[in-house]
Amino acid sequence: GGRRGRGEKGSAHTMGLGPGDESAPRGEARERSTRVLSIQSSVVSGYVGNKSAVFPLQTLGIEVDFINSVQFSNHTGYPSWTGEAIDGPQLKELVRGLKDNNLIKHTHLLTGYMRSPTMLRAVIDTLRLLREKNPDCIYVCDPVMGDNGALYVPEELVPIYRDQVIPHASVLTPNQFEAETLTGLKIDSDADAVVVMDKLHAMGVKVVVITSCVYGEPDTITLVASR
């Protein structure tokens, strides 16, 4: 599901990820190695969400445990799609299984496309659990909500992202429309982008990457970042 086939991002560079310390003793390196819990969409045809994030991270030597927030035939930029989405109670049940078997050992949480308020709130509960085990757990949030001036998730998700999710995020990676939607501000220049990023910082997020701004030259896409 999610955005435009360009999909949710899972960049290892954005996430500050890397494999374990190769110079450390074998057991110590394994204990400190990066382990990601990725809760994102998956599609049969195309590359978005977990379909585009998991394999690249694994090729970098990073362990990835993944939960598909939806399993769709194709991303939602097409005229139609089929498939199913999981809800908050289902996510909590999966995470409970990890907890019961002492498998909550993650250094990073990565989230993308969600379809319901219960899923977003379950993500917050999941992050709380991960940080109980590892207070330094980094949360990379891609607030996948829409693009090109239109939402493709229920509108009720916007205030939940703004008021309940973003304050806990370490890294936020919205596109231009999502950044504007979350802040209520327009981006028509580099200066506007800085103002928007400052407002997102004020909400509590440490690192902001606006992934695709279009202003000025019509054929130019600008990425802006701030920390």
Side-chain angles (χ1 to χ4, degrees):
R3 68 177 84 240
R4 45 180 195 275
R6 302 85 70 177
E8 300 134 329
K9 286 75 66 183
S11 165
H13 297 289
T14 298
M15 296 172 67
L17 300 178
D21 182 356
E22 298 295 336
S23 64
R26 184 182 299 269
E28 187 178 346
R30 185 183 301 115
E31 191 66 28
R32 293 206 307 264
S33 64
T34 300
R35 189 175 199 97
V36 176
L37 177 60
S38 180
I39 307 173
Q40 302 192 72
S41 62
S42 185
V43 293
V44 178
S45 176
Y47 292 91
V48 297
N50 278 332
K51 187 92 174 281
S52 64
V54 173
F55 179 67
L57 291 172
Q58 290 173 330
T59 63
L60 295 172
I62 295 167
E63 292 289 340
V64 185
D65 297 330
F66 62 93
I67 297 172
N68 294 333
S69 58
V70 304
Q71 179 63 67
F72 285 167
S73 56
N74 44 269
H75 71 76
T76 57
Y78 284 89
S80 65
W81 65 92
T82 59
E84 297 182 346
I86 69 170
D87 58 18
Q90 289 172 302
L91 174 58
K92 288 184 176 182
E93 182 70 5
L94 290 170
V95 174
R96 185 178 68 83
L98 296 177
K99 180 182 178 182
D100 290 348
N101 290 285
N102 195 31
L103 295 172
I104 301 291
K105 301 177 180 179
H106 301 91
T107 59
H108 293 70
L109 173 65
L110 171 60
T111 65
Y113 183 72
M114 307 289 165
R115 285 293 299 177
S116 71
T118 64
M119 271 295 286
L120 275 185
R121 295 190 176 103
V123 163
I124 298 169
D125 291 341
T126 300
L127 176 63
R128 187 177 297 115
L129 177 61
L130 266 57
R131 285 182 171 165
E132 286 176 3
K133 294 285 187 177
N134 174 14
D136 296 324
C137 181
I138 294 172
Y139 175 28
V140 182
C141 174
D142 186 2
V144 180
M145 297 185 295
D147 203 358
N148 299 319
L151 290 170
Y152 40 62
V153 298
E155 190 171 355
E156 60 191 315
L157 297 191
V158 176
I160 299 174
Y161 268 116
R162 184 184 59 237
D163 302 331
Q164 300 180 42
V165 177
I166 289 177
H168 300 287
S170 311
V171 182
L172 189 72
T173 62
N175 62 29
Q176 179 177 352
F177 170 74
E178 291 156 351
E180 293 173 337
T181 300
L182 290 167
T183 61
L185 302 172
K186 288 289 292 179
I187 300 175
D188 293 314
S189 65
D190 289 340
D192 290 343
V194 170
V195 171
V196 166
M197 289 188 293
D198 283 344
K199 186 165 184 177
L200 292 169
H201 285 311
M203 294 178 184
V205 65
K206 298 177 179 66
V207 178
V208 178
V209 182
I210 304 179
T211 58
S212 53
C213 292
V214 180
Y215 48 77
E217 295 294 329
D219 296 329
T220 301
I221 295 177
T222 302
L223 181 150
V224 292
S226 174
R227 59 182 301 174

